[in-house]
C-alpha cells in the first residue's frame, strides 16, 4: 500500500505508517500539477489545508481508497466526488480540541488587555500605559456560540477564570449543558448579555455571516469578539465599522475570510488582534492529529482490500479519534 503525504505531517505519524510496512512518500508542498500527475500511483493520501482534492484529482486517483486530513475542516476536499468513487474521507477533529481552546483563552486575555499591541510598542522602545487600559475577565459574562468539543473546553477554562458563562447551541442537549455548569440561552439573549463573545461553530450556511451589523447592534456597547473558529462567520466589513465606532471595544481573530489577510483593513485597526491561524499550532496537537490519522490508515490497509473485493465499500465519511 502506497501513501502520499502532500503537506507536512509530524514525524510520529510518518513513523507509524513506515513501521507498519506502508510505502510512504512525504512530499511537502506538492503543487496541484504534481498531485495530478502522481496521484494515480497511491492508495492513500494525507493532506493538510494546502492541498485541494478536486473532482479532477479524484478522477486521476484510480487506486485511491482513503484520504486523511489531520485536524478539523475538510473544506478542501470534494467529499461528494470522493464518496461517488468509493474513497473514504477521514479527519481527526478531536486532536486539536485543547490546543484550540487554549488559543481562544489567550485571545480572550489579549482582547481584554491589549497584550500584543503593548508588546509591539515596547519592542519599538515605547513605554505606553495610558493607551492600554484593560478590563478584568473575572465577573464578566462570556457568551459562547457553539458549545461542541472546543466550546466546552473554553467554557470549562473560563469558569476557572471566574467568568459567568452562557452559551447558545441549537444542537446541544440540556443535560450536557447542565453537566458543564453553564446557562443555555437564546442567541438574542447571548448578544444582549455578553461582555465577550466567542464562536465555536463550523462554517455552515446558517453560521456564515452570523455576526454582522444587525447582530452586532444587539450586543452590549464595548463588546469584545473572539473568532478562532472559521473565517467569515463574522462579517469583516461590519466588524470593522463596529471597531472603528467603538461599539466593539476589541476583537481577536485567528481566522479570516481570506487567509492570509492581504489588504484587509481589519488588521490595521489598533483594537484588532490577529494571529495567523495558530489554533492548532502546538507540538501536542500536531502529534495528536498525525498519529490519529496514521493509525486508521494502517488499520484500513487489509480491511479496505477485503471490503472492496467483496463490493461492500461504497465510500463514506468517517472521523478518526
Ligand atoms: C447555527 C449554530 C450556531 C451552530 C452551532 C453548531 C453546527 N452548529 N451550528 C446557527 N454546533 C448559531 C446559529
Amino acid at each position: 500500500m502506497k501513501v502520499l503525504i502532500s503537506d507536512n505531517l509530524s514525524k510520529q505519524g510518518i513513523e507509524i505508517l513506515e513501521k507498519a510496512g506502508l510505502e510512504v512518500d512525504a512530499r511537502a508542498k506538492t503543487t496541484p500539477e504534481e498531485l495530478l500527475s502522481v496521484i494515480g500511483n497511491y492508495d492513500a493520501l494525507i493532506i493538510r489545508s494546502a492541498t485541494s482534492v478536486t473532482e479532477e484529482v479524484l478522477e486521476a486517483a484510480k487506486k485511491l481508497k482513503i484520504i486523511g486530513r489531520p485536524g478539523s475542516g475538510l473544506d478542501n476536499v470534494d467529499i461528494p466526488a470522493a464518496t461517488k468513487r468509493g474513497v473514504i474521507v477521514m479527519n481527526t477533529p478531536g486532536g486539536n480540541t485543547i490546543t484550540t481552546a487554549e488559543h481562544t483563552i489567550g485571545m480572550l486575555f489579549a482582547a481584554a488587555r491589549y497584550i500584543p499591541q503593548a508588546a509591539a510598542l515596547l519592542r519599538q522602545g515605547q513605554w505606553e500605559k495610558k493607551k492600554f487600559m484593560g478590563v478584568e475577565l473575572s465577573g464578566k459574562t462570556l457568551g459562547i456560540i457553539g458549545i461542541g468539543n472546543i466550546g466546552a473546553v473554553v467554557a470549562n477554562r473560563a469558569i476557572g477564570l471566574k467568568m459567568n458563562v452562557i452559551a447558545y447551541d441549537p444542537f446541544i442537549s440540556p443535560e450536557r449543558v447542565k453537566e458543564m455548569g453553564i446557562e443555555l440561552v437564546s442567541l438574542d439573549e447571548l448578544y444582549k448579555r455578553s461582555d465577550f463573545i466567542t464562536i465555536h461553530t463550523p462554517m455552515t450556511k446558517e453560521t456564515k455571516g452570523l455576526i454582522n451589523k444587525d447582530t452586532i447592534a444587539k450586543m452590549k456597547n464595548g463588546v469584545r469578539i473572539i473568532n478562532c473558529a472559521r473565517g467569515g462567520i463574522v462579517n469583516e466589513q461590519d466588524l470593522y465599522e463596529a471597531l472603528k465606532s467603538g461599539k466593539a471595544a476589541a476583537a481577536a481573530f485567528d481566522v479570516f475570510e481570506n487567509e492570509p489577510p492581504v489588504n484587509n483593513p481589519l488588521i490595521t485597526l489598533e483594537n484588532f488582534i490577529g494571529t495567523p491561524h495558530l489554533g492548532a499550532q502546538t507540538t501536542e496537537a500536531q502529534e495528536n492529529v498525525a498519529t490519529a490519522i496514521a493509525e486508521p490508515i494502517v488499520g484500513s490497509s487489509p480491511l479496505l482490500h477485503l471490503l472492496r473485493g467483496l463490493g461492500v465499500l461504497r465510500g463514506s465519511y468517517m472521523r478518526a479519534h
Side-chain angles (χ1 to χ4, degrees), residues 1-32:
M1 174 144 152
K2 284 186 70 160
V3 185
L4 174 64
I5 307 175
S6 67
D7 296 313
N8 289 310
L9 187 75
S10 288
K11 66 175 188 310
Q12 288 84 353
I14 297 177
E15 274 168 22
I16 289 170
L17 298 168
E18 285 176 340
K19 277 206 183 113
L22 305 192
E23 204 179 314
V24 180
D25 288 336
R27 296 172 163 238
K29 301 206 171 102
T30 297
T31 65

mmCIF file of all heavy atoms in Angstrom, residues 1-32:
data_model
loop_
_atom_site.group_PDB
_atom_site.id
_atom_site.type_symbol
_atom_site.label_atom_id
_atom_site.label_comp_id
_atom_site.label_asym_id
_atom_site.label_seq_id
_atom_site.Cartn_x
_atom_site.Cartn_y
_atom_site.Cartn_z
ATOM 1 N N MET A 1 0.852 -1.202 0.000
ATOM 2 C CA MET A 1 0.000 0.000 0.000
ATOM 3 C C MET A 1 0.882 1.245 0.000
ATOM 4 O O MET A 1 1.795 1.380 0.808
ATOM 5 C CB MET A 1 -0.905 -0.034 1.245
ATOM 6 C CG MET A 1 -1.727 1.197 1.442
ATOM 7 S SD MET A 1 -3.367 0.831 2.117
ATOM 8 C CE MET A 1 -3.718 2.328 2.996
ATOM 9 N N LYS A 2 0.624 2.159 -0.927
ATOM 10 C CA LYS A 2 1.425 3.387 -1.063
ATOM 11 C C LYS A 2 0.655 4.603 -0.551
ATOM 12 O O LYS A 2 -0.504 4.793 -0.898
ATOM 13 C CB LYS A 2 1.797 3.615 -2.537
ATOM 14 C CG LYS A 2 2.918 2.695 -3.021
ATOM 15 C CD LYS A 2 3.353 3.041 -4.438
ATOM 16 C CE LYS A 2 4.088 4.364 -4.490
ATOM 17 N NZ LYS A 2 4.921 4.501 -5.708
ATOM 18 N N VAL A 3 1.369 5.386 0.270
ATOM 19 C CA VAL A 3 0.756 6.563 0.884
ATOM 20 C C VAL A 3 1.489 7.819 0.427
ATOM 21 O O VAL A 3 2.715 7.897 0.548
ATOM 22 C CB VAL A 3 0.839 6.488 2.431
ATOM 23 C CG1 VAL A 3 0.088 7.655 3.059
ATOM 24 C CG2 VAL A 3 0.322 5.166 2.953
ATOM 25 N N LEU A 4 0.737 8.783 -0.062
ATOM 26 C CA LEU A 4 1.325 10.093 -0.390
ATOM 27 C C LEU A 4 0.941 11.092 0.702
ATOM 28 O O LEU A 4 -0.238 11.246 1.034
ATOM 29 C CB LEU A 4 0.799 10.591 -1.744
ATOM 30 C CG LEU A 4 1.233 12.015 -2.133
ATOM 31 C CD1 LEU A 4 2.742 12.118 -2.310
ATOM 32 C CD2 LEU A 4 0.512 12.468 -3.399
ATOM 33 N N ILE A 5 1.963 11.765 1.249
ATOM 34 C CA ILE A 5 1.709 12.844 2.204
ATOM 35 C C ILE A 5 2.067 14.133 1.481
ATOM 36 O O ILE A 5 3.240 14.402 1.213
ATOM 37 C CB ILE A 5 2.555 12.675 3.485
ATOM 38 C CG1 ILE A 5 2.339 11.276 4.083
ATOM 39 C CG2 ILE A 5 2.189 13.758 4.495
ATOM 40 C CD1 ILE A 5 3.221 10.980 5.282
ATOM 41 N N SER A 6 1.036 14.912 1.116
ATOM 42 C CA SER A 6 1.273 16.044 0.221
ATOM 43 C C SER A 6 1.575 17.343 0.957
ATOM 44 O O SER A 6 1.918 18.343 0.341
ATOM 45 C CB SER A 6 0.074 16.234 -0.708
ATOM 46 O OG SER A 6 -1.036 16.647 0.041
ATOM 47 N N ASP A 7 1.414 17.359 2.278
ATOM 48 C CA ASP A 7 1.781 18.524 3.086
ATOM 49 C C ASP A 7 2.631 18.019 4.257
ATOM 50 O O ASP A 7 3.034 16.869 4.256
ATOM 51 C CB ASP A 7 0.524 19.256 3.595
ATOM 52 C CG ASP A 7 -0.313 19.853 2.464
ATOM 53 O OD1 ASP A 7 0.246 20.507 1.580
ATOM 54 O OD2 ASP A 7 -1.540 19.643 2.467
ATOM 55 N N ASN A 8 2.866 18.874 5.244
ATOM 56 C CA ASN A 8 3.679 18.427 6.389
ATOM 57 C C ASN A 8 2.873 17.547 7.335
ATOM 58 O O ASN A 8 1.711 17.789 7.584
ATOM 59 C CB ASN A 8 4.201 19.635 7.165
ATOM 60 C CG ASN A 8 5.269 20.372 6.369
ATOM 61 O OD1 ASN A 8 6.208 19.739 5.884
ATOM 62 N ND2 ASN A 8 5.111 21.662 6.221
ATOM 63 N N LEU A 9 3.538 16.525 7.870
ATOM 64 C CA LEU A 9 2.923 15.679 8.895
ATOM 65 C C LEU A 9 3.992 15.417 9.951
ATOM 66 O O LEU A 9 5.138 15.119 9.611
ATOM 67 C CB LEU A 9 2.447 14.357 8.278
ATOM 68 C CG LEU A 9 1.631 13.450 9.198
ATOM 69 C CD1 LEU A 9 0.211 13.980 9.374
ATOM 70 C CD2 LEU A 9 1.580 12.014 8.678
ATOM 71 N N SER A 10 3.616 15.518 11.236
ATOM 72 C CA SER A 10 4.592 15.275 12.308
ATOM 73 C C SER A 10 5.193 13.882 12.179
ATOM 74 O O SER A 10 4.538 12.943 11.726
ATOM 75 C CB SER A 10 3.930 15.424 13.682
ATOM 76 O OG SER A 10 3.660 16.776 13.925
ATOM 77 N N LYS A 11 6.466 13.765 12.623
ATOM 78 C CA LYS A 11 7.214 12.515 12.368
ATOM 79 C C LYS A 11 6.583 11.295 13.055
ATOM 80 O O LYS A 11 6.696 10.187 12.540
ATOM 81 C CB LYS A 11 8.675 12.678 12.764
ATOM 82 C CG LYS A 11 8.940 12.876 14.251
ATOM 83 C CD LYS A 11 10.456 12.911 14.495
ATOM 84 C CE LYS A 11 10.797 12.912 15.974
ATOM 85 N NZ LYS A 11 10.091 13.920 16.791
ATOM 86 N N GLN A 12 5.884 11.520 14.165
ATOM 87 C CA GLN A 12 5.230 10.393 14.845
ATOM 88 C C GLN A 12 4.246 9.679 13.917
ATOM 89 O O GLN A 12 4.092 8.467 13.973
ATOM 90 C CB GLN A 12 4.466 10.877 16.095
ATOM 91 C CG GLN A 12 5.343 11.291 17.256
ATOM 92 C CD GLN A 12 5.844 12.727 17.141
ATOM 93 O OE1 GLN A 12 5.652 13.405 16.130
ATOM 94 N NE2 GLN A 12 6.511 13.190 18.176
ATOM 95 N N GLY A 13 3.571 10.477 13.073
ATOM 96 C CA GLY A 13 2.607 9.905 12.135
ATOM 97 C C GLY A 13 3.311 9.116 11.034
ATOM 98 O O GLY A 13 2.896 8.015 10.672
ATOM 99 N N ILE A 14 4.382 9.692 10.509
ATOM 100 C CA ILE A 14 5.141 9.030 9.437
ATOM 101 C C ILE A 14 5.715 7.711 9.945
ATOM 102 O O ILE A 14 5.656 6.689 9.253
ATOM 103 C CB ILE A 14 6.255 9.969 8.908
ATOM 104 C CG1 ILE A 14 5.592 11.219 8.291
ATOM 105 C CG2 ILE A 14 7.149 9.258 7.894
ATOM 106 C CD1 ILE A 14 6.546 12.274 7.792
ATOM 107 N N GLU A 15 6.220 7.734 11.192
ATOM 108 C CA GLU A 15 6.798 6.518 11.782
ATOM 109 C C GLU A 15 5.779 5.387 11.870
ATOM 110 O O GLU A 15 6.097 4.234 11.585
ATOM 111 C CB GLU A 15 7.330 6.817 13.190
ATOM 112 C CG GLU A 15 8.755 7.356 13.162
ATOM 113 C CD GLU A 15 9.173 7.936 14.521
ATOM 114 O OE1 GLU A 15 8.562 7.569 15.551
ATOM 115 O OE2 GLU A 15 10.092 8.769 14.521
ATOM 116 N N ILE A 16 4.557 5.720 12.272
ATOM 117 C CA ILE A 16 3.505 4.691 12.392
ATOM 118 C C ILE A 16 3.255 4.032 11.032
ATOM 119 O O ILE A 16 3.154 2.820 10.921
ATOM 120 C CB ILE A 16 2.207 5.316 12.945
ATOM 121 C CG1 ILE A 16 2.390 5.672 14.426
ATOM 122 C CG2 ILE A 16 1.004 4.372 12.767
ATOM 123 C CD1 ILE A 16 1.259 6.502 15.010
ATOM 124 N N LEU A 17 3.211 4.862 9.980
ATOM 125 C CA LEU A 17 2.952 4.333 8.637
ATOM 126 C C LEU A 17 4.113 3.448 8.178
ATOM 127 O O LEU A 17 3.910 2.355 7.650
ATOM 128 C CB LEU A 17 2.758 5.482 7.645
ATOM 129 C CG LEU A 17 1.579 6.423 7.915
ATOM 130 C CD1 LEU A 17 1.676 7.671 7.046
ATOM 131 C CD2 LEU A 17 0.250 5.712 7.670
ATOM 132 N N GLU A 18 5.340 3.919 8.417
ATOM 133 C CA GLU A 18 6.518 3.174 7.944
ATOM 134 C C GLU A 18 6.703 1.874 8.707
ATOM 135 O O GLU A 18 7.003 0.836 8.117
ATOM 136 C CB GLU A 18 7.767 4.059 8.043
ATOM 137 C CG GLU A 18 7.780 5.101 6.925
ATOM 138 C CD GLU A 18 8.935 6.069 7.000
ATOM 139 O OE1 GLU A 18 9.529 6.207 8.097
ATOM 140 O OE2 GLU A 18 9.234 6.706 5.962
ATOM 141 N N LYS A 19 6.498 1.946 10.040
ATOM 142 C CA LYS A 19 6.659 0.734 10.864
ATOM 143 C C LYS A 19 5.674 -0.354 10.450
ATOM 144 O O LYS A 19 5.949 -1.531 10.591
ATOM 145 C CB LYS A 19 6.454 1.075 12.348
ATOM 146 C CG LYS A 19 7.697 1.643 12.994
ATOM 147 C CD LYS A 19 7.714 1.392 14.501
ATOM 148 C CE LYS A 19 8.925 2.034 15.148
ATOM 149 N NZ LYS A 19 8.549 3.137 16.054
ATOM 150 N N ALA A 20 4.517 0.075 9.935
ATOM 151 C CA ALA A 20 3.501 -0.903 9.518
ATOM 152 C C ALA A 20 3.815 -1.465 8.135
ATOM 153 O O ALA A 20 3.063 -2.278 7.613
ATOM 154 C CB ALA A 20 2.132 -0.243 9.523
ATOM 155 N N GLY A 21 4.925 -0.995 7.550
ATOM 156 C CA GLY A 21 5.344 -1.534 6.261
ATOM 157 C C GLY A 21 4.702 -0.843 5.068
ATOM 158 O O GLY A 21 4.810 -1.314 3.937
ATOM 159 N N LEU A 22 4.037 0.275 5.284
ATOM 160 C CA LEU A 22 3.465 1.009 4.147
ATOM 161 C C LEU A 22 4.587 1.802 3.462
ATOM 162 O O LEU A 22 5.553 2.211 4.096
ATOM 163 C CB LEU A 22 2.358 1.970 4.608
ATOM 164 C CG LEU A 22 1.200 1.387 5.420
ATOM 165 C CD1 LEU A 22 0.072 2.388 5.535
ATOM 166 C CD2 LEU A 22 0.684 0.091 4.813
ATOM 167 N N GLU A 23 4.439 1.996 2.193
ATOM 168 C CA GLU A 23 5.422 2.761 1.432
ATOM 169 C C GLU A 23 4.996 4.227 1.467
ATOM 170 O O GLU A 23 3.931 4.577 0.940
ATOM 171 C CB GLU A 23 5.410 2.233 -0.002
ATOM 172 C CG GLU A 23 6.690 2.470 -0.761
ATOM 173 C CD GLU A 23 6.585 1.882 -2.164
ATOM 174 O OE1 GLU A 23 6.118 0.724 -2.290
ATOM 175 O OE2 GLU A 23 6.937 2.606 -3.102
ATOM 176 N N VAL A 24 5.818 5.059 2.110
ATOM 177 C CA VAL A 24 5.408 6.440 2.365
ATOM 178 C C VAL A 24 6.232 7.422 1.536
ATOM 179 O O VAL A 24 7.453 7.387 1.561
ATOM 180 C CB VAL A 24 5.591 6.786 3.866
ATOM 181 C CG1 VAL A 24 5.173 8.221 4.140
ATOM 182 C CG2 VAL A 24 4.798 5.820 4.740
ATOM 183 N N ASP A 25 5.553 8.277 0.787
ATOM 184 C CA ASP A 25 6.236 9.383 0.112
ATOM 185 C C ASP A 25 5.802 10.691 0.763
ATOM 186 O O ASP A 25 4.655 11.105 0.603
ATOM 187 C CB ASP A 25 5.881 9.417 -1.383
ATOM 188 C CG ASP A 25 6.542 8.279 -2.138
ATOM 189 O OD1 ASP A 25 7.575 7.772 -1.654
ATOM 190 O OD2 ASP A 25 6.022 7.887 -3.198
ATOM 191 N N ALA A 26 6.714 11.298 1.506
ATOM 192 C CA ALA A 26 6.418 12.580 2.140
ATOM 193 C C ALA A 26 6.904 13.676 1.203
ATOM 194 O O ALA A 26 8.096 13.869 1.018
ATOM 195 C CB ALA A 26 7.105 12.658 3.493
ATOM 196 N N ARG A 27 5.983 14.328 0.544
ATOM 197 C CA ARG A 27 6.303 15.389 -0.423
ATOM 198 C C ARG A 27 5.557 16.641 -0.018
ATOM 199 O O ARG A 27 4.504 16.942 -0.578
ATOM 200 C CB ARG A 27 5.779 15.035 -1.814
ATOM 201 C CG ARG A 27 6.361 13.847 -2.498
ATOM 202 C CD ARG A 27 5.491 13.676 -3.747
ATOM 203 N NE ARG A 27 6.085 12.843 -4.761
ATOM 204 C CZ ARG A 27 6.321 13.246 -6.008
ATOM 205 N NH1 ARG A 27 6.008 14.467 -6.386
ATOM 206 N NH2 ARG A 27 6.836 12.420 -6.879
ATOM 207 N N ALA A 28 6.140 17.344 0.954
ATOM 208 C CA ALA A 28 5.518 18.599 1.368
ATOM 209 C C ALA A 28 5.539 19.547 0.176
ATOM 210 O O ALA A 28 6.429 19.459 -0.668
ATOM 211 C CB ALA A 28 6.264 19.188 2.544
ATOM 212 N N LYS A 29 4.585 20.442 0.118
ATOM 213 C CA LYS A 29 4.492 21.459 -0.943
ATOM 214 C C LYS A 29 4.282 20.849 -2.336
ATOM 215 O O LYS A 29 4.776 21.370 -3.326
ATOM 216 C CB LYS A 29 5.731 22.365 -0.945
ATOM 217 C CG LYS A 29 5.942 23.110 0.372
ATOM 218 C CD LYS A 29 6.716 24.387 0.145
ATOM 219 C CE LYS A 29 6.760 25.261 1.389
ATOM 220 N NZ LYS A 29 8.019 25.188 2.116
ATOM 221 N N THR A 30 3.571 19.751 -2.408
ATOM 222 C CA THR A 30 3.197 19.205 -3.707
ATOM 223 C C THR A 30 2.296 20.218 -4.420
ATOM 224 O O THR A 30 1.311 20.679 -3.848
ATOM 225 C CB THR A 30 2.447 17.871 -3.526
ATOM 226 O OG1 THR A 30 3.323 16.933 -2.904
ATOM 227 C CG2 THR A 30 1.991 17.290 -4.854
ATOM 228 N N THR A 31 2.641 20.557 -5.661
ATOM 229 C CA THR A 31 1.812 21.513 -6.413
ATOM 230 C C THR A 31 0.596 20.774 -6.985
ATOM 231 O O THR A 31 0.619 19.543 -7.103
ATOM 232 C CB THR A 31 2.595 22.139 -7.585
ATOM 233 O OG1 THR A 31 2.908 21.091 -8.513
ATOM 234 C CG2 THR A 31 3.877 22.815 -7.117
ATOM 235 N N PRO A 32 -0.456 21.510 -7.365
ATOM 236 C CA PRO A 32 -1.627 20.862 -7.957
ATOM 237 C C PRO A 32 -1.267 20.029 -9.195
ATOM 238 O O PRO A 32 -1.816 18.944 -9.402
ATOM 239 C CB PRO A 32 -2.540 22.035 -8.324
ATOM 240 C CG PRO A 32 -2.160 23.125 -7.384
ATOM 241 C CD PRO A 32 -0.687 22.955 -7.144
#
